[in-house]
Amino acid sequence: MEAVIPKVSLDEKIREITEPWSPVEIARVNDYVVRMALFEGEYHWHKHTNEDELFYVYRGRIVIQLRGQPDITLEEGEMAVVAKGVEHCPKALEPSYVLMFEPAELKSRGD
């Protein structure tokens, strides 16, 4: 018997998010996870020493501040990859729902 492949509704997953900057797991793909979080205000400066991190804006607008590089502004439907070792600080320009694609073992809070 074949396994049932679950369908995921991002709008339904949004209802599981109870507070800003607290990601919920959307799906796992091999050793990677897709997480969604509500971005409100500014996070904190951090980096991931061993992993890249992809940000995809599902709803809203964010700025990814980068140490020593120009900031990246992302609108709905846009994404960017922050390379490992790059210090960054996400900031929401309005309440925003953002998907993050990252290794499953990645600490969400960074180094």
Side-chain angles (χ1 to χ4, degrees):
M1 183 171 176
E2 291 185 40
V4 175
I5 299 173
K7 186 167 67 169
V8 176
S9 166
L10 295 179
D11 289 333
E12 288 178 18
K13 285 292 187 179
I14 284 173
R15 294 187 201 120
E16 294 180 21
I17 298 172
T18 58
E19 59 185 66
W21 308 109
S22 297
V24 298
E25 187 171 307
I26 303 296
R28 286 189 178 247
V29 180
N30 300 316
D31 295 332
Y32 283 78
V33 65
V34 179
R35 296 181 175 118
M36 181 189 285
L38 170 61
F39 285 22
E40 279 189 356
E42 187 171 287
Y43 196 51
H44 66 273
W45 284 95
H46 66 285
K47 65 181 178 178
H48 304 285
T49 304
N50 300 310
E51 304 90 7
D52 298 335
E53 186 174 21
L54 184 150
F55 295 89
Y56 173 83
V57 178
Y58 179 63
R59 286 197 187 144
R61 287 178 57 222
I62 69 168
V63 171
I64 301 173
Q65 302 167 97
L66 302 168
R67 187 80 71 202
Q69 299 180 43
D71 294 347
I72 300 169
T73 301
L74 297 175
E75 308 280 341
E76 285 185 13
E78 294 182 328
M79 67 181 175
V81 176
V82 176
K84 62 185 169 190
V86 174
E87 194 172 8
H88 58 287
C89 178
K91 176 172 69 173
L93 298 175
E94 60 191 58
S96 302
Y97 290 93
V98 179
L99 295 170
M100 294 153 291
F101 297 71
E102 51 202 18
E105 74 274 359
L106 181 71
K107 295 178 284 184
S108 293
R109 301 201 60 83
D111 296 341

